Amino acid sequence: MQWRALVLGLVLLRLGLHGVLWLVFGLGPSMGFYQRFPLSFGFQRLRSPDGPASPASGPVGRPEGLSGPSWLQPPGTGAARGPQQAPRRPGPGVCGPAHWGYVLGGRDRGPDEYEKRYSGAFPPQLRAQMRDLARGMFVFGYDNYMAHAFPQDELNPIHCRGRGPDRGDPPLSSGSLEGIMGNSSEFQKAVKLVINTVSFDRDSTVQVFEATIRVLGSLLSAHRIITDSKQPFGDMTIKDYDNELLYMAHDLAVRLLPAFENTKTGIPYPRVNLKTGVPPDSNNETCTAGAGSLLVEFGILSRLLGDSTFEWVARRAVKALWNLRSNDTGLLGNVVNIQTGHWVGKQSGLGAGLDSFYEYLLKSYILFGEKEDLEMFNAAYQSIQNYLRRGREACNEGEGDPPLYVNVNMFSGQLMNTWIDSLQAFFPGLQVLIGDVEDAICLHAFYYAIWKRYGALPERYNWQLQAPDVLFYPLRPELVESTYLLYQATKNPFYLHVGMDILQSLEKYTKVKCGYATLHHVIDKSTEDRMESFFLSETCKYLYLLFDEDNPVHKSGTRYMFTTEGHIISVDEHLRELPWKEFFSEEGGQDQEGKSVHRLKPHELKVINSSSNCNRVPDERRYSLPLKSIYMRQIDQMVGLI
């Protein structure tokens, strides 16, 4: 019963918050399917459907004596892209558009069929239909949750009943439902219910990371929507609102602060009891993403309250992790001991354990304008390019395997395994934010290819064996998020087709009696009786936004950013102020350690697209060209993917 009021209130808050946005936002591998959509990943020379493979003694662009895909080769052998390497031009053996159309359309179809399906305009009627389908997907899941599970944490959609917290690994809101009410009155009702009923004074042990990104983030986002003087989403104000949600966010954050105490490194404990602090038997090991992805929410809270404490502890944790990176590669591992600073997990990659660490270095800079955050991100991005990126140097031209980011040893840069995980599909979206659109296009195509084969993304995919390592798909949003951001950057209808494919796959394979179920097995399409909360709050949201061109987020003139949990935050001058630093001038000052810093003003945000030689400013004219001229070159060499 101690969870009931807490979960009920948090649920309704999240429902109401996402309801605001919705109010204003107004293929399994059977034998035949596999033959039509082979997945070869460039392990052999590409073969034209009309003739034999191009003659070659070995893989193009690799030193003699080395064989196999360039993803298996260490950096420095043509597998990694360095800053001085020039892109290679296309050579013999590169298949043309006919092959791409042939693979997509089948043996009796050619490039015209492909062009018709993917290159043409996406009709407004079809776009509206997909928007309504995404809305209907949300409504079906949400209504069934309310009918069969509320106020429990999640919905078991197969047996139509509620699901409580995971007692063995209890996050505060991994089970707090994110849903969408659909109108301002419901949002206002939910906020009032939260204010009147929710208390964090609970004897409950929670994950610091999950409590921060899910609960703290939702409280802050809702508060910002209520107090926004422009009210771009309609009248979301609440009569007699007195910053209650902000005070609740403060209360929660104070209860999380003990996690940052009594650690020799400043890196927080992974869990804390909301009433008693860090448990006596607490684990001293934490993942890099969990400890280093708190700065956005903690920073927003500090700047709204004028209290530096929260931003300071979160920033200290980021710096502590950053200082533990390898001196040789610049990479970080995925698991660290918070007392000794010893890397327990030495794997460096873009997926689980590291993903949101990189994401929040960039997004912290976007929100707060701290140049140090951008410098760390740029250095991390360069190390990622030097040691994790394998394949041909140029994304959209040249020969060799298509680009891929692998998992390596943080100290040596040597390959540690041959799998990628589905969380890595967020990275193309992050590349869009820094202006590296061409690479984002290429990497996104890789993940979409896997989706196309299975109608879902397996949790882990072994690119050497060309088969899933971990077979389930819990309705994750990462690929959808990257699809949405790439469409916003390019306006190319290709991404609307991708979104339609994803929608149709979800409807076909995951819809069950009372909602949408986790796929237990992406090949046989068996399901698990669980609908994860992020499906409603993120997957459905990004799908809807993809098809809603007139969304206020796109049209209001206000710049918005989504947190790692999908909470919307406006990017404005207020969050770039440091009310506790009265001695700061507009041009600079000192940080917590007395170092001179330059604090960027809002109009300087454009530097995000030009501050690094590995970033490029997106050219809308360039990326609005017909699909064939932009996508065909890099996908032609990936014809085995889709």
Side-chain angles (χ1 to χ4, degrees), residues 60 96 132-133 140 201 204 327 362 598:
V60 174
D132 293 344
L133 180 60
F140 182 69
D201 189 22
S204 299
N327 292 328
L362 181 60
H598 170 66

Side-chain angles (χ1 to χ4, degrees), residues 278-578:
V278 176
D281 59 348
S282 185
N283 190 352
N284 284 326
E285 297 176 1
T286 188
C287 71
T288 303
S293 304
L294 310 173
L295 184 52
V296 165
E297 289 82 5
F298 273 51
I300 292 172
L301 180 63
S302 273
R303 292 173 188 238
L304 292 180
L305 291 174
D307 181 349
S308 65
T309 303
F310 308 102
E311 180 172 342
W312 186 80
V313 296
R315 191 172 290 281
R316 181 181 63 171
V318 171
K319 290 181 179 179
L321 289 165
W322 184 249
N323 290 334
L324 293 174
R325 71 194 188 279
S326 168
N327 292 328
D328 296 323
T329 66
L331 298 173
L332 294 88
N334 58 347
V335 181
V336 66
N337 185 297
I338 66 173
Q339 300 296 351
T340 66
H342 173 71
W343 288 105
V344 179
K346 299 178 178 61
Q347 177 174 300
S348 191
L350 299 179
L354 278 157
D355 51 351
S356 55
F357 175 79
Y358 300 123
E359 178 185 4
Y360 267 24
L361 286 180
L362 181 60
K363 290 186 175 179
S364 296
Y365 168 72
I366 293 173
L367 278 180
F368 308 133
E370 301 284 356
K371 191 175 181 180
E372 180 183 33
D373 295 334
L374 181 62
E375 290 172 347
M376 285 189 289
F377 175 82
N378 282 335
Y381 192 74
Q382 191 61 58
S383 293
I384 288 169
Q385 297 301 312
N386 288 340
Y387 292 98
L388 271 61
R389 188 186 188 277
R390 304 291 173 89
R392 60 178 177 267
E393 287 90 346
C395 175
N396 291 321
E397 59 188 8
E399 293 189 349
D401 300 309
L404 175 69
Y405 292 83
V406 299
N407 300 317
V408 304
N409 182 289
M410 63 172 289
F411 295 109
S412 67
Q414 296 300 307
L415 189 70
M416 287 193 70
N417 51 58
T418 58
W419 52 259
I420 55 174
D421 65 48
S422 63
L423 291 172
Q424 291 176 264
F426 91 98
F427 198 67
L430 191 64
Q431 291 181 306
V432 168
L433 295 184
I434 62 170
D436 203 351
V437 178
E438 288 188 10
D439 261 20
I441 289 170
C442 235
L443 187 60
H444 174 274
F446 181 90
Y447 286 99
Y448 174 51
I450 301 173
W451 181 286
K452 192 72 177 175
R453 177 173 177 180
Y454 297 105
L457 274 184
E459 192 71 353
R460 284 185 183 177
Y461 187 86
N462 191 306
W463 45 261
Q464 185 179 39
L465 300 178
Q466 305 178 49
D469 273 351
V470 180
L471 288 154
F472 71 90
Y473 168 64
L475 310 174
R476 290 199 187 279
E478 283 76 17
L479 178 61
V480 182
E481 179 183 9
S482 289
T483 302
Y484 163 66
L485 291 171
L486 268 166
Y487 178 72
Q488 291 303 312
T490 67
K491 297 302 180 183
N492 198 298
F494 173 77
Y495 295 104
L496 300 178
H497 287 281
V498 173
M500 183 169 65
D501 278 347
I502 293 174
L503 266 172
Q504 292 172 339
S505 294
L506 290 171
E507 283 288 311
K508 180 177 181 180
Y509 299 126
T510 71
K511 190 173 185 179
V512 293
K513 182 179 179 181
C514 294
Y516 294 84
T518 292
L519 280 182
H520 175 73
H521 197 293
V522 297
I523 296 177
D524 67 23
K525 300 302 185 292
S526 57
T527 55
E528 294 181 17
D529 198 9
R530 184 174 190 179
M531 186 174 75
E532 291 271 11
S533 59
F534 49 69
F535 171 70
L536 293 177
S537 68
E538 296 184 77
T539 307
C540 291
K541 178 194 294 181
Y542 288 124
L543 282 170
Y544 188 88
L545 284 171
L546 176 64
F547 295 108
D548 189 14
E549 188 73 10
D550 296 326
N551 190 283
V553 169
H554 308 145
K555 298 293 187 180
S556 67
T558 301
R559 291 172 296 189
Y560 290 100
M561 188 194 79
F562 290 100
T563 70
T564 193
E565 190 64 19
H567 300 301
I568 191 168
I569 299 291
S570 60
V571 182
D572 56 41
E573 186 172 0
H574 187 53
L575 291 180
R576 296 190 166 216
E577 297 173 352
L578 292 171

Side-chain angles (χ1 to χ4, degrees), residues 108-136:
D108 297 326
R109 300 182 184 183
D112 291 341
E113 180 67 23
Y114 168 73
E115 293 291 329
K116 179 180 178 181
R117 180 177 179 186
Y118 283 92
S119 297
F122 204 85
Q125 298 86 348
L126 182 58
R127 188 170 188 153
Q129 181 183 349
M130 292 300 104
R131 180 197 62 208
D132 293 344
L133 180 60
R135 180 194 289 117

Side-chain angles (χ1 to χ4, degrees), residues 67-90:
S67 60
S70 64
W71 300 333
L72 290 170
Q73 309 305 329
T77 60
R81 181 183 60 178
Q84 304 301 322
Q85 291 176 303
R88 290 181 296 205
R89 305 301 301 174

Side-chain angles (χ1 to χ4, degrees), residues 145-287:
Y145 168 79
M146 294 302 295
H148 302 292
F150 183 82
Q152 290 185 280
D153 294 351
E154 291 179 349
L155 171 67
N156 285 352
I158 296 175
H159 289 96
C160 304
R161 60 188 179 212
R163 183 187 188 97
D166 182 353
R167 299 296 181 185
D169 189 20
L172 179 63
S173 68
S174 68
S176 65
L177 177 81
E178 298 102 338
I180 304 160
M181 291 282 189
N183 59 65
S184 59
S185 63
E186 290 295 338
F187 170 75
Q188 294 160 349
K189 184 188 300 183
V191 170
K192 291 176 182 178
L193 187 58
V194 168
I195 292 171
N196 293 330
T197 63
V198 171
S199 170
F200 295 115
D201 189 22
R202 302 281 178 177
D203 183 17
S204 299
T205 299
V206 303
Q207 293 182 16
V208 174
F209 173 63
E210 298 291 355
T212 298
I213 66 171
R214 296 176 188 250
V215 184
L216 185 62
S218 67
L219 290 167
L220 294 170
S221 181
H223 169 75
R224 296 274 286 173
I225 289 173
I226 295 168
T227 58
D228 189 340
S229 60
K230 299 178 181 178
Q231 288 295 303
F233 305 121
D235 186 6
M236 298 298 154
T237 59
I238 296 178
K239 185 179 180 181
D240 300 324
Y241 179 72
D242 191 23
N243 298 320
E244 288 91 345
L245 296 184
L246 181 60
Y247 298 143
M248 291 179 67
H250 177 254
D251 178 46
L252 173 60
V254 168
R255 295 174 186 275
L256 298 177
L257 283 180
F260 296 86
E261 300 170 0
N262 300 318
T263 75
K264 295 179 181 179
T265 62
I267 301 170
Y269 285 92
R271 291 175 177 81
V272 66
N273 185 286
L274 292 177
K275 180 169 283 191
T276 62
V278 176
D281 59 348
S282 185
N283 190 352
N284 284 326
E285 297 176 1
T286 188
C287 71

